[in-house]
Amino acid sequence: MDDSERRQRHIGEIAADRRRGASQLARRCLEILAEHARTCSARDAAELQRELADLADALRATRPGMAPVQNLLGAWRDALQTPADADPAATRARASALAQQLAARSRRAVDEAAAHAAGLVAEGATLITHSLSSTMVEVFRRLASRGVRAVVTESRPLLEGHTLARRLSAMGVATHYITDAQMGVFAGRADAAMVGADSLLGDGSVLNKAGTLLLALAAREHGVPFYVCCESFKQSDAMPGGIDLEEMDAAELRAAPLPGVTPRNVYFDLTPARLVSGWITEHGLRSRAPVRDPG
Amino acid sequence: MDDSERRQRHIGEIAADRRRGASQLARRCLEILAEHARTCSARDAAELQRELADLADALRATRPGMAPVQNLLGAWRDALQTPADADPAATRARASALAQQLAARSRRAVDEAAAHAAGLVAEGATLITHSLSSTMVEVFRRLASRGVRAVVTESRPLLEGHTLARRLSAMGVATHYITDAQMGVFAGRADAAMVGADSLLGDGSVLNKAGTLLLALAAREHGVPFYVCCESFKQSDAMPGGIDLEEMDAAELRAAPLPGVTPRNVYFDLTPARLVSGWITEHGLRSRAPVRDPG
C-alpha cells in the first residue's frame, strides 16, 4: 500500500466510524497522523509538513461537528508548522511526539472531567444517559462501587446504547435498558440525566447524538437536573445558528423501502444552554452558560 | 372449540394485540361480543346475560389503559343488563345489534374527528406524528390530495410507524421516516404535531404510546402546535395520579441479554394538558383543557 492508498483508507475509516465518540475518534486521528509522520515518503521537511497538514485537514473535514477532532487536530497542525525543521527526521519525530502528547492530554482531561462528574452523584442514585460516550463510561466506572444505577437508551439507529449497557454489565452497574421513546417516562424516575457531548458550542448549547434534546426536555419536565460532561477540547467557538446538523446514510435505519417514503438519519441535535443544569469538564462544574458576545 | 376455549382465545387475542389502536381494538371486542351473543350456549336469558357481561369485563381487564375499550364495552354491558329479556333469542339479537350500533357510532366519531382535524391543516403543510393511530390514518387520507407532507417516527419497539408509512405511501403522501430519537430535530421542521390517543384523562392529559410526551415537549420547544385527535369514546374520568403505565413484554426490544441489564418496555406515557394546543374530537376543536373538580 502506498502513501496515497493509506491516506484514503484512513480518511474513509474516520468518515465511516459510528462506534467511537468524538474524543476517541480525535485520538485515533492523532494515532493516524503520528503513523503517517513516521512512515510517509517526502523529499524534504517542507514537503513532509505540507503533507501532514493536508492529511490533518482532510481528517478534520470528515467530521465537522466533532469539536475534539477540530481542536486536537487543529492544535497539532498549528504546532507542527512552526518552527520549520531543516531535517525531515526531526519533523517526523516532533510530529509523532506531539500527537502522542495531545492524545495523552485529551485522555487525562476526560479522566478528570469524569472524576468531577462522579463526585456530583450520590450513593445509590439513578443516572439516565443517552448514546454511547466514552466519558460517561469513565463516570460509571467511578460510580460502580457506589450502588449507582443506570438507565440507558438503545440509541437508534445503530444501538450504541447496547454497547454502553455491555460495558455497564461488565462493571456490575445495575442497568435498565429502554427504547429512546421511553425517555419521557424514565427521566422522571431518575435522580439526574447526564450525557457526553460531541461539541459544546460558544453559547453553552450541546451538540450531541440525536435524542439528547429530548432527554434534556424530559428531564426539565420532571424537574430532574441535566448535566453534560466532557473534556474542554470539545469546546467550539461555533454558535447554534452556524451549525448544519450532519446527516448519515439513511440505510442505517434498515427500513423496508416504500415509494414516496424517505428515511432520514440526522445524527445530532442541539440542546440549548437553558436546558443544561451544569457543564462538567476537567476544570470542574460550571452551572452558568458562558456569556458570549452575540456578534 | 367449545365456549370456554373460544372465550380464552379471544381474551388472548385482545391482550396480545399490538397492531391495532385503541378504537380499532374496542370495535374488535364488540365483534367478539356480538359473535358470542349469537353462538354461546346458555340455558336461559339470565345465564346468557351473565356470560356476556363476564366476557365484556374480561376483555376490558386486558387493556385497562385504553379508554375506548373501557367505554364502549362498558356501555354495551350496561345497556345489555336492563331490561332483562324473557327469551334468550331476544337477548342474543339485542346484544348483537347493540354491539354493531356502538361500533358504527365509534367509526362515525373517528371519521368526524378526522374531518375536523384535517380542516385545521393548511395546504402543503408538514405534519409530524408518533405511533400508529387509525384516526391519524383518516386525517392523512383527507389531506392526501392537498399536498400535505408527513413526518413519521418508527415507534420502537415494534415499528408501528412503518405500518403508518406504508399506508401513507399508498395514499401518495410524501413522508419522511425518522427514528424516535430524531423527534427533537424534525418537530422544529414541521408546521404542527398531531397524534391520536389511547385515552384522554379527566384533566385533558393524553395517555398514548411512549414517546408522545417527547414529541409534545419538542413541539413546545420549537413553538409548533401539538394537537391530539380522537373520538370522544377515548375520554376517561381517570386522573394522571391514578394511572399505572402498562408495561409489555421486554422481549419486544429484541435486546441481546446481558447480566445485570434489564430491558424495559413501558408502553405509554402521559402528556400533560398544558403541552396540548388543542383537543379534536367529533365535536370539533377545543383549545382549553376541561376544568375538573380536583376532588
Short mmCIF file of all heavy atoms in Angstrom, two decimals, chain A residues 154 156 162 166 169 175-177 181-182 185 189 210-211 214 217 221 255-256 258-266 268-269 272 274, chain B residues 154 156 162 166 169 175-177 180-182 184-185 189 210-211 217 221 255-256 258-266 268-269 272 274:
data_model
loop_
_atom_site.label_atom_id
_atom_site.label_comp_id
_atom_site.label_asym_id
_atom_site.label_seq_id
_atom_site.Cartn_x
_atom_site.Cartn_y
_atom_site.Cartn_z
N GLU A 154 -31.44 2.78 24.00
CA GLU A 154 -30.79 1.94 23.00
C GLU A 154 -30.05 2.79 21.96
O GLU A 154 -29.04 2.39 21.42
CB GLU A 154 -31.78 0.97 22.34
CG GLU A 154 -33.01 1.62 21.75
CD GLU A 154 -33.97 0.58 21.15
OE1 GLU A 154 -33.88 -0.62 21.42
OE2 GLU A 154 -34.85 1.03 20.38
N ARG A 156 -31.08 4.34 18.75
CA ARG A 156 -31.24 4.02 17.34
C ARG A 156 -30.58 5.12 16.50
O ARG A 156 -30.47 6.25 16.96
CB ARG A 156 -32.75 3.93 17.01
CG ARG A 156 -33.38 2.63 17.46
CD ARG A 156 -33.20 1.52 16.45
NE ARG A 156 -33.94 1.81 15.21
CZ ARG A 156 -33.61 1.32 14.02
NH1 ARG A 156 -32.53 0.56 13.87
NH2 ARG A 156 -34.33 1.62 12.97
N HIS A 162 -26.57 -0.24 23.40
CA HIS A 162 -26.35 -1.62 23.81
C HIS A 162 -24.88 -1.86 24.13
O HIS A 162 -24.55 -2.64 25.03
CB HIS A 162 -26.86 -2.60 22.74
CG HIS A 162 -27.06 -3.98 23.30
ND1 HIS A 162 -26.11 -4.96 23.21
CD2 HIS A 162 -28.09 -4.50 24.02
CE1 HIS A 162 -26.55 -6.06 23.82
NE2 HIS A 162 -27.75 -5.80 24.32
N ARG A 166 -23.43 -3.11 27.68
CA ARG A 166 -22.48 -4.21 27.84
C ARG A 166 -21.33 -3.80 28.75
O ARG A 166 -20.91 -4.56 29.63
CB ARG A 166 -21.96 -4.66 26.46
CG ARG A 166 -21.19 -5.97 26.53
CD ARG A 166 -20.67 -6.46 25.18
NE ARG A 166 -21.73 -6.56 24.21
CZ ARG A 166 -21.78 -5.90 23.05
NH1 ARG A 166 -20.78 -5.10 22.71
NH2 ARG A 166 -22.79 -6.04 22.24
N SER A 169 -22.66 -3.64 32.26
CA SER A 169 -22.85 -5.01 32.76
C SER A 169 -21.52 -5.57 33.27
O SER A 169 -21.46 -6.14 34.36
CB SER A 169 -23.40 -5.88 31.62
OG SER A 169 -23.46 -7.22 31.99
N THR A 175 -28.54 -1.90 35.47
CA THR A 175 -28.91 -1.05 34.34
C THR A 175 -30.29 -1.39 33.82
O THR A 175 -30.62 -2.55 33.65
CB THR A 175 -27.86 -1.24 33.21
OG1 THR A 175 -26.58 -0.82 33.70
CG2 THR A 175 -28.21 -0.44 31.97
N HIS A 176 -31.10 -0.36 33.58
CA HIS A 176 -32.33 -0.53 32.83
C HIS A 176 -32.08 -0.04 31.41
O HIS A 176 -31.52 1.04 31.21
CB HIS A 176 -33.49 0.23 33.48
CG HIS A 176 -34.02 -0.48 34.68
ND1 HIS A 176 -35.08 -0.05 35.42
CD2 HIS A 176 -33.62 -1.65 35.27
CE1 HIS A 176 -35.31 -0.90 36.40
NE2 HIS A 176 -34.44 -1.87 36.35
N TYR A 177 -32.49 -0.86 30.45
CA TYR A 177 -32.22 -0.60 29.04
C TYR A 177 -33.55 -0.31 28.37
O TYR A 177 -34.47 -1.13 28.41
CB TYR A 177 -31.55 -1.85 28.44
CG TYR A 177 -31.19 -1.76 26.97
CD1 TYR A 177 -30.12 -0.97 26.57
CD2 TYR A 177 -31.90 -2.48 26.01
CE1 TYR A 177 -29.77 -0.90 25.23
CE2 TYR A 177 -31.54 -2.42 24.67
CZ TYR A 177 -30.48 -1.62 24.29
OH TYR A 177 -30.12 -1.55 22.97
N ALA A 181 -37.80 6.08 22.89
CA ALA A 181 -39.14 6.65 23.08
C ALA A 181 -39.56 6.66 24.55
O ALA A 181 -40.46 7.41 24.93
CB ALA A 181 -40.16 5.88 22.25
N GLN A 182 -38.92 5.82 25.38
CA GLN A 182 -39.28 5.76 26.80
C GLN A 182 -38.57 6.80 27.67
O GLN A 182 -38.77 6.84 28.89
CB GLN A 182 -39.00 4.35 27.37
CG GLN A 182 -39.93 3.27 26.84
CD GLN A 182 -39.53 1.89 27.36
OE1 GLN A 182 -39.87 1.51 28.47
NE2 GLN A 182 -38.80 1.14 26.56
N VAL A 185 -40.68 8.75 30.11
CA VAL A 185 -41.09 8.05 31.33
C VAL A 185 -39.92 7.94 32.30
O VAL A 185 -40.03 8.28 33.48
CB VAL A 185 -41.61 6.63 30.99
CG1 VAL A 185 -41.90 5.83 32.25
CG2 VAL A 185 -42.84 6.72 30.09
N ARG A 189 -38.01 9.02 36.55
CA ARG A 189 -37.68 8.04 37.59
C ARG A 189 -36.20 8.10 37.97
O ARG A 189 -35.73 7.29 38.75
CB ARG A 189 -38.04 6.63 37.11
CG ARG A 189 -39.52 6.48 36.76
CD ARG A 189 -39.85 5.08 36.23
NE ARG A 189 -41.27 4.99 35.86
CZ ARG A 189 -41.85 3.88 35.40
NH1 ARG A 189 -41.15 2.77 35.27
NH2 ARG A 189 -43.13 3.88 35.08
N ALA A 210 -28.54 12.65 18.21
CA ALA A 210 -29.98 12.94 18.14
C ALA A 210 -30.71 12.19 19.25
O ALA A 210 -30.50 10.99 19.45
CB ALA A 210 -30.52 12.53 16.77
N GLY A 211 -31.56 12.91 19.96
CA GLY A 211 -32.27 12.35 21.11
C GLY A 211 -31.86 13.03 22.40
O GLY A 211 -32.59 13.01 23.39
N LEU A 214 -34.25 15.62 23.49
CA LEU A 214 -35.45 15.02 24.08
C LEU A 214 -35.21 14.65 25.54
O LEU A 214 -36.08 14.85 26.39
CB LEU A 214 -35.87 13.78 23.28
CG LEU A 214 -36.21 14.03 21.80
CD1 LEU A 214 -36.47 12.70 21.09
CD2 LEU A 214 -37.41 14.96 21.66
N LEU A 217 -35.22 17.88 27.56
CA LEU A 217 -36.59 18.38 27.73
C LEU A 217 -37.35 17.53 28.74
O LEU A 217 -38.08 18.07 29.58
CB LEU A 217 -37.31 18.37 26.38
CG LEU A 217 -36.86 19.42 25.36
CD1 LEU A 217 -37.43 19.11 23.98
CD2 LEU A 217 -37.30 20.83 25.80
N GLU A 221 -38.88 18.70 32.27
CA GLU A 221 -40.31 18.47 32.54
C GLU A 221 -40.52 17.82 33.90
O GLU A 221 -41.47 18.13 34.61
CB GLU A 221 -40.90 17.59 31.42
CG GLU A 221 -42.32 17.10 31.62
CD GLU A 221 -43.36 18.22 31.50
OE1 GLU A 221 -43.01 19.32 31.05
OE2 GLU A 221 -44.52 17.97 31.88
N ALA A 255 -34.89 0.39 7.15
CA ALA A 255 -36.33 0.45 6.91
C ALA A 255 -36.63 -0.16 5.56
O ALA A 255 -35.96 0.16 4.57
CB ALA A 255 -36.81 1.90 6.94
N ALA A 256 -37.63 -1.04 5.50
CA ALA A 256 -38.05 -1.59 4.21
C ALA A 256 -38.49 -0.43 3.32
O ALA A 256 -39.26 0.41 3.75
CB ALA A 256 -39.19 -2.57 4.41
N LEU A 258 -40.25 2.09 0.73
CA LEU A 258 -41.63 2.32 0.33
C LEU A 258 -41.64 3.52 -0.61
O LEU A 258 -40.95 4.51 -0.35
CB LEU A 258 -42.48 2.68 1.56
CG LEU A 258 -42.71 1.59 2.61
CD1 LEU A 258 -43.24 2.19 3.89
CD2 LEU A 258 -43.68 0.55 2.06
N PRO A 259 -42.44 3.46 -1.69
CA PRO A 259 -42.48 4.60 -2.61
C PRO A 259 -42.98 5.86 -1.91
O PRO A 259 -43.98 5.82 -1.19
CB PRO A 259 -43.49 4.17 -3.69
CG PRO A 259 -43.89 2.78 -3.39
CD PRO A 259 -43.33 2.36 -2.07
N GLY A 260 -42.26 6.96 -2.10
CA GLY A 260 -42.69 8.23 -1.52
C GLY A 260 -42.29 8.42 -0.07
O GLY A 260 -42.56 9.46 0.52
N VAL A 261 -41.65 7.40 0.51
CA VAL A 261 -41.23 7.48 1.92
C VAL A 261 -39.70 7.58 1.97
O VAL A 261 -39.00 6.72 1.44
CB VAL A 261 -41.70 6.24 2.71
CG1 VAL A 261 -41.16 6.27 4.15
CG2 VAL A 261 -43.23 6.18 2.72
N THR A 262 -39.20 8.66 2.56
CA THR A 262 -37.77 8.93 2.62
C THR A 262 -37.27 8.74 4.05
O THR A 262 -37.60 9.54 4.92
CB THR A 262 -37.49 10.40 2.20
OG1 THR A 262 -38.17 10.66 0.97
CG2 THR A 262 -36.01 10.66 2.07
N PRO A 263 -36.50 7.69 4.31
CA PRO A 263 -35.91 7.57 5.66
C PRO A 263 -34.89 8.68 5.86
O PRO A 263 -34.17 9.05 4.93
CB PRO A 263 -35.24 6.20 5.65
CG PRO A 263 -35.79 5.49 4.45
CD PRO A 263 -36.15 6.55 3.46
N ARG A 264 -34.84 9.23 7.06
CA ARG A 264 -33.91 10.32 7.38
C ARG A 264 -33.05 9.89 8.55
O ARG A 264 -33.49 9.15 9.43
CB ARG A 264 -34.70 11.59 7.73
CG ARG A 264 -35.55 12.12 6.59
CD ARG A 264 -34.74 12.63 5.41
NE ARG A 264 -33.81 13.69 5.80
CZ ARG A 264 -34.09 14.98 5.77
NH1 ARG A 264 -35.27 15.39 5.34
NH2 ARG A 264 -33.18 15.88 6.14
N ASN A 265 -31.82 10.39 8.55
CA ASN A 265 -30.88 9.96 9.60
C ASN A 265 -30.02 11.14 10.05
O ASN A 265 -28.80 11.11 9.94
CB ASN A 265 -30.03 8.80 9.05
CG ASN A 265 -29.22 8.09 10.13
OD1 ASN A 265 -29.52 8.23 11.32
ND2 ASN A 265 -28.21 7.35 9.73
N VAL A 266 -30.68 12.17 10.56
CA VAL A 266 -29.95 13.31 11.14
C VAL A 266 -29.33 12.82 12.46
O VAL A 266 -30.05 12.34 13.33
CB VAL A 266 -30.88 14.52 11.37
CG1 VAL A 266 -30.14 15.64 12.07
CG2 VAL A 266 -31.45 14.99 10.04
N PHE A 268 -27.33 14.32 14.83
CA PHE A 268 -27.12 15.15 16.01
C PHE A 268 -28.34 16.01 16.27
O PHE A 268 -29.15 16.24 15.38
CB PHE A 268 -25.89 16.04 15.81
CG PHE A 268 -24.63 15.27 15.58
CD1 PHE A 268 -24.08 15.15 14.31
CD2 PHE A 268 -24.02 14.62 16.63
CE1 PHE A 268 -22.93 14.41 14.11
CE2 PHE A 268 -22.87 13.87 16.44
CZ PHE A 268 -22.31 13.77 15.17
N ASP A 269 -28.47 16.46 17.49
CA ASP A 269 -29.38 17.57 17.74
C ASP A 269 -28.69 18.56 18.67
O ASP A 269 -27.60 18.31 19.19
CB ASP A 269 -30.76 17.10 18.24
CG ASP A 269 -30.77 16.38 19.58
OD1 ASP A 269 -29.84 16.61 20.39
OD2 ASP A 269 -31.70 15.62 19.81
N PRO A 272 -30.28 23.50 23.85
CA PRO A 272 -29.92 24.87 24.23
C PRO A 272 -29.41 24.95 25.67
O PRO A 272 -29.81 24.15 26.52
CB PRO A 272 -31.23 25.64 24.06
CG PRO A 272 -32.31 24.63 24.03
CD PRO A 272 -31.71 23.33 23.58
N ARG A 274 -30.07 26.79 28.08
CA ARG A 274 -31.02 26.98 29.19
C ARG A 274 -31.58 25.67 29.73
O ARG A 274 -32.16 25.64 30.81
CB ARG A 274 -32.14 27.94 28.77
CG ARG A 274 -33.14 27.37 27.82
CD ARG A 274 -34.16 28.41 27.33
NE ARG A 274 -34.37 28.22 25.90
CZ ARG A 274 -35.00 27.18 25.35
NH1 ARG A 274 -35.52 26.25 26.11
NH2 ARG A 274 -35.11 27.09 24.04
N GLU B 154 -40.50 5.94 13.68
CA GLU B 154 -40.61 4.49 13.52
C GLU B 154 -41.40 3.85 14.66
O GLU B 154 -42.07 2.87 14.47
CB GLU B 154 -39.23 3.84 13.34
CG GLU B 154 -38.23 4.15 14.42
CD GLU B 154 -36.87 3.50 14.16
OE1 GLU B 154 -36.58 3.05 13.03
OE2 GLU B 154 -36.08 3.44 15.12
N ARG B 156 -40.41 2.52 17.99
CA ARG B 156 -39.89 1.30 18.61
C ARG B 156 -40.73 0.99 19.85
O ARG B 156 -41.31 1.88 20.44
CB ARG B 156 -38.42 1.54 19.00
CG ARG B 156 -37.46 1.47 17.84
CD ARG B 156 -37.03 0.04 17.55
NE ARG B 156 -36.24 -0.52 18.65
CZ ARG B 156 -36.16 -1.81 18.93
NH1 ARG B 156 -36.83 -2.70 18.21
NH2 ARG B 156 -35.42 -2.24 19.93
N HIS B 162 -43.75 2.17 10.79
CA HIS B 162 -43.53 1.69 9.43
C HIS B 162 -44.85 1.30 8.77
O HIS B 162 -45.03 1.48 7.57
CB HIS B 162 -42.52 0.54 9.41
CG HIS B 162 -41.94 0.34 8.04
ND1 HIS B 162 -42.45 -0.57 7.15
CD2 HIS B 162 -40.95 0.99 7.39
CE1 HIS B 162 -41.77 -0.50 6.01
NE2 HIS B 162 -40.85 0.45 6.13
N ARG B 166 -46.38 2.90 5.42
CA ARG B 166 -46.89 2.11 4.29
C ARG B 166 -48.26 2.61 3.84
O ARG B 166 -48.53 2.75 2.65
CB ARG B 166 -46.95 0.61 4.66
CG ARG B 166 -47.19 -0.29 3.45
CD ARG B 166 -47.23 -1.78 3.81
NE ARG B 166 -46.04 -2.19 4.53
CZ ARG B 166 -46.04 -2.74 5.75
NH1 ARG B 166 -47.18 -2.97 6.38
NH2 ARG B 166 -44.91 -3.07 6.32
N SER B 169 -47.74 5.90 2.10
CA SER B 169 -47.17 5.64 0.78
C SER B 169 -48.28 5.29 -0.21
O SER B 169 -48.34 5.81 -1.33
CB SER B 169 -46.14 4.51 0.90
OG SER B 169 -45.68 4.12 -0.37
N THR B 175 -43.57 11.41 2.63
CA THR B 175 -43.34 11.10 4.04
C THR B 175 -41.86 11.02 4.34
O THR B 175 -41.11 10.39 3.59
CB THR B 175 -44.02 9.75 4.37
OG1 THR B 175 -45.43 9.89 4.18
CG2 THR B 175 -43.75 9.30 5.80
N HIS B 176 -41.45 11.66 5.43
CA HIS B 176 -40.12 11.42 5.97
C HIS B 176 -40.26 10.49 7.16
O HIS B 176 -41.11 10.69 8.02
CB HIS B 176 -39.45 12.74 6.39
CG HIS B 176 -38.93 13.50 5.21
ND1 HIS B 176 -38.27 14.69 5.31
CD2 HIS B 176 -38.96 13.21 3.89
CE1 HIS B 176 -37.92 15.10 4.10
NE2 HIS B 176 -38.33 14.23 3.22
N TYR B 177 -39.41 9.46 7.16
CA TYR B 177 -39.49 8.40 8.16
C TYR B 177 -38.25 8.50 9.04
O TYR B 177 -37.13 8.44 8.54
CB TYR B 177 -39.54 7.05 7.43
CG TYR B 177 -39.65 5.83 8.31
CD1 TYR B 177 -40.83 5.54 8.96
CD2 TYR B 177 -38.56 4.97 8.46
CE1 TYR B 177 -40.94 4.40 9.75
CE2 TYR B 177 -38.67 3.83 9.25
CZ TYR B 177 -39.86 3.55 9.90
OH TYR B 177 -39.97 2.43 10.68
N ASP B 180 -37.22 7.51 16.45
CA ASP B 180 -37.88 8.27 17.52
C ASP B 180 -36.95 9.35 18.07
O ASP B 180 -37.40 10.43 18.46
CB ASP B 180 -38.31 7.31 18.63
CG ASP B 180 -39.25 6.23 18.11
OD1 ASP B 180 -40.15 6.55 17.32
OD2 ASP B 180 -39.07 5.05 18.47
N ALA B 181 -35.66 9.05 18.10
CA ALA B 181 -34.68 9.99 18.67
C ALA B 181 -34.57 11.28 17.87
O ALA B 181 -34.09 12.28 18.40
CB ALA B 181 -33.32 9.30 18.77
N GLN B 182 -35.01 11.26 16.61
CA GLN B 182 -34.91 12.47 15.77
C GLN B 182 -36.10 13.42 15.93
O GLN B 182 -36.17 14.46 15.26
CB GLN B 182 -34.78 12.08 14.28
CG GLN B 182 -33.44 11.45 13.93
CD GLN B 182 -33.41 11.01 12.47
OE1 GLN B 182 -33.17 11.81 11.56
NE2 GLN B 182 -33.65 9.74 12.22
N GLY B 184 -36.73 15.52 18.16
CA GLY B 184 -36.28 16.84 18.60
C GLY B 184 -35.86 17.72 17.43
O GLY B 184 -36.00 18.94 17.46
N VAL B 185 -35.34 17.09 16.38
CA VAL B 185 -34.93 17.82 15.18
C VAL B 185 -36.15 18.10 14.29
O VAL B 185 -36.38 19.24 13.87
CB VAL B 185 -33.88 17.01 14.38
CG1 VAL B 185 -33.56 17.69 13.05
CG2 VAL B 185 -32.62 16.81 15.21
N ARG B 189 -39.06 21.29 12.23
CA ARG B 189 -39.21 21.48 10.78
C ARG B 189 -40.65 21.27 10.34
O ARG B 189 -40.93 21.28 9.14
CB ARG B 189 -38.28 20.50 10.04
CG ARG B 189 -36.80 20.68 10.41
CD ARG B 189 -35.90 19.67 9.71
NE ARG B 189 -34.51 19.83 10.12
CZ ARG B 189 -33.49 19.13 9.64
NH1 ARG B 189 -33.70 18.20 8.71
NH2 ARG B 189 -32.26 19.34 10.07
N ALA B 210 -45.63 5.45 24.29
CA ALA B 210 -44.40 6.06 24.82
C ALA B 210 -43.67 6.81 23.72
O ALA B 210 -43.47 6.28 22.62
CB ALA B 210 -43.51 4.98 25.43
N GLY B 211 -43.28 8.04 24.01
CA GLY B 211 -42.64 8.90 23.02
C GLY B 211 -43.51 10.10 22.70
O GLY B 211 -43.00 11.13 22.23
N LEU B 217 -43.13 17.82 24.00
CA LEU B 217 -42.09 18.70 24.55
C LEU B 217 -41.28 19.34 23.42
O LEU B 217 -40.95 20.53 23.46
CB LEU B 217 -41.17 17.91 25.48
CG LEU B 217 -41.78 17.50 26.83
CD1 LEU B 217 -40.89 16.46 27.51
CD2 LEU B 217 -41.96 18.72 27.74
N GLU B 221 -40.94 23.23 22.51
CA GLU B 221 -39.60 23.84 22.43
C GLU B 221 -39.44 24.65 21.14
O GLU B 221 -38.81 25.70 21.13
CB GLU B 221 -38.54 22.74 22.52
CG GLU B 221 -37.10 23.16 22.29
CD GLU B 221 -36.54 24.00 23.42
OE1 GLU B 221 -37.15 24.06 24.50
OE2 GLU B 221 -35.47 24.61 23.22
N ALA B 255 -33.36 -7.17 22.57
CA ALA B 255 -32.02 -6.81 23.02
C ALA B 255 -31.27 -8.08 23.41
O ALA B 255 -31.82 -8.92 24.12
CB ALA B 255 -32.11 -5.86 24.22
N ALA B 256 -30.03 -8.21 22.95
CA ALA B 256 -29.21 -9.35 23.37
C ALA B 256 -29.07 -9.29 24.89
O ALA B 256 -28.75 -8.23 25.43
CB ALA B 256 -27.85 -9.29 22.69
N LEU B 258 -27.89 -9.38 28.73
CA LEU B 258 -26.63 -9.06 29.41
C LEU B 258 -26.88 -9.19 30.91
O LEU B 258 -27.92 -8.73 31.39
CB LEU B 258 -26.21 -7.62 29.10
CG LEU B 258 -25.80 -7.28 27.67
CD1 LEU B 258 -25.77 -5.77 27.47
CD2 LEU B 258 -24.43 -7.90 27.38
N PRO B 259 -25.94 -9.77 31.65
CA PRO B 259 -26.15 -9.89 33.11
C PRO B 259 -26.26 -8.51 33.76
O PRO B 259 -25.46 -7.61 33.48
CB PRO B 259 -24.88 -10.61 33.60
CG PRO B 259 -24.06 -10.96 32.42
CD PRO B 259 -24.65 -10.33 31.21
N GLY B 260 -27.29 -8.35 34.59
CA GLY B 260 -27.46 -7.09 35.32
C GLY B 260 -28.15 -6.01 34.51
O GLY B 260 -28.38 -4.91 35.03
N VAL B 261 -28.47 -6.31 33.25
CA VAL B 261 -29.14 -5.32 32.40
C VAL B 261 -30.59 -5.78 32.17
O VAL B 261 -30.83 -6.88 31.68
CB VAL B 261 -28.42 -5.16 31.04
CG1 VAL B 261 -29.19 -4.23 30.12
CG2 VAL B 261 -27.00 -4.63 31.27
N THR B 262 -31.55 -4.94 32.55
CA THR B 262 -32.97 -5.27 32.45
C THR B 262 -33.62 -4.43 31.36
O THR B 262 -33.77 -3.22 31.52
CB THR B 262 -33.67 -4.94 33.80
OG1 THR B 262 -32.92 -5.51 34.86
CG2 THR B 262 -35.10 -5.46 33.81
N PRO B 263 -33.99 -5.05 30.23
CA PRO B 263 -34.73 -4.28 29.24
C PRO B 263 -36.10 -3.91 29.79
O PRO B 263 -36.72 -4.70 30.51
CB PRO B 263 -34.85 -5.23 28.05
CG PRO B 263 -33.87 -6.33 28.32
CD PRO B 263 -33.75 -6.43 29.80
N ARG B 264 -36.56 -2.70 29.50
CA ARG B 264 -37.87 -2.23 29.98
C ARG B 264 -38.73 -1.85 28.78
O ARG B 264 -38.21 -1.40 27.76
CB ARG B 264 -37.68 -1.03 30.91
CG ARG B 264 -36.87 -1.33 32.16
CD ARG B 264 -37.58 -2.28 33.10
NE ARG B 264 -38.88 -1.79 33.52
CZ ARG B 264 -39.09 -1.05 34.60
NH1 ARG B 264 -38.08 -0.73 35.38
NH2 ARG B 264 -40.31 -0.65 34.92
N ASN B 265 -40.02 -2.04 28.93
CA ASN B 265 -40.93 -1.80 27.80
C ASN B 265 -42.22 -1.14 28.29
O ASN B 265 -43.31 -1.69 28.11
CB ASN B 265 -41.19 -3.12 27.07
CG ASN B 265 -41.86 -2.93 25.73
OD1 ASN B 265 -41.87 -1.83 25.18
ND2 ASN B 265 -42.44 -4.00 25.20
N VAL B 266 -42.08 0.03 28.90
CA VAL B 266 -43.27 0.80 29.31
C VAL B 266 -43.91 1.34 28.04
O VAL B 266 -43.25 2.03 27.26
CB VAL B 266 -42.90 1.93 30.29
CG1 VAL B 266 -44.11 2.79 30.61
CG2 VAL B 266 -42.30 1.34 31.56
N PHE B 268 -46.71 3.25 27.42
CA PHE B 268 -47.42 4.51 27.31
C PHE B 268 -46.66 5.60 28.04
O PHE B 268 -45.83 5.30 28.90
CB PHE B 268 -48.82 4.37 27.90
CG PHE B 268 -49.66 3.35 27.19
CD1 PHE B 268 -49.90 2.10 27.75
CD2 PHE B 268 -50.19 3.61 25.93
CE1 PHE B 268 -50.65 1.14 27.09
CE2 PHE B 268 -50.94 2.66 25.25
CZ PHE B 268 -51.17 1.43 25.83
N ASP B 269 -46.94 6.83 27.69
CA ASP B 269 -46.54 7.92 28.57
C ASP B 269 -47.69 8.90 28.65
O ASP B 269 -48.69 8.78 27.94
CB ASP B 269 -45.20 8.55 28.17
CG ASP B 269 -45.19 9.22 26.81
OD1 ASP B 269 -46.26 9.65 26.32
OD2 ASP B 269 -44.09 9.35 26.25
N PRO B 272 -48.98 16.04 29.70
CA PRO B 272 -49.87 16.91 30.48
C PRO B 272 -50.64 17.89 29.59
O PRO B 272 -50.16 18.29 28.52
CB PRO B 272 -48.93 17.64 31.44
CG PRO B 272 -47.57 17.49 30.86
CD PRO B 272 -47.57 16.26 30.00
N ARG B 274 -51.14 20.95 29.69
CA ARG B 274 -50.56 22.25 29.35
C ARG B 274 -49.67 22.19 28.11
O ARG B 274 -49.32 23.23 27.55
CB ARG B 274 -49.78 22.81 30.56
CG ARG B 274 -48.48 22.16 30.85
CD ARG B 274 -47.83 22.66 32.14
NE ARG B 274 -47.33 21.52 32.90
CZ ARG B 274 -46.29 20.78 32.55
NH1 ARG B 274 -45.61 21.07 31.45
NH2 ARG B 274 -45.91 19.74 33.26
#
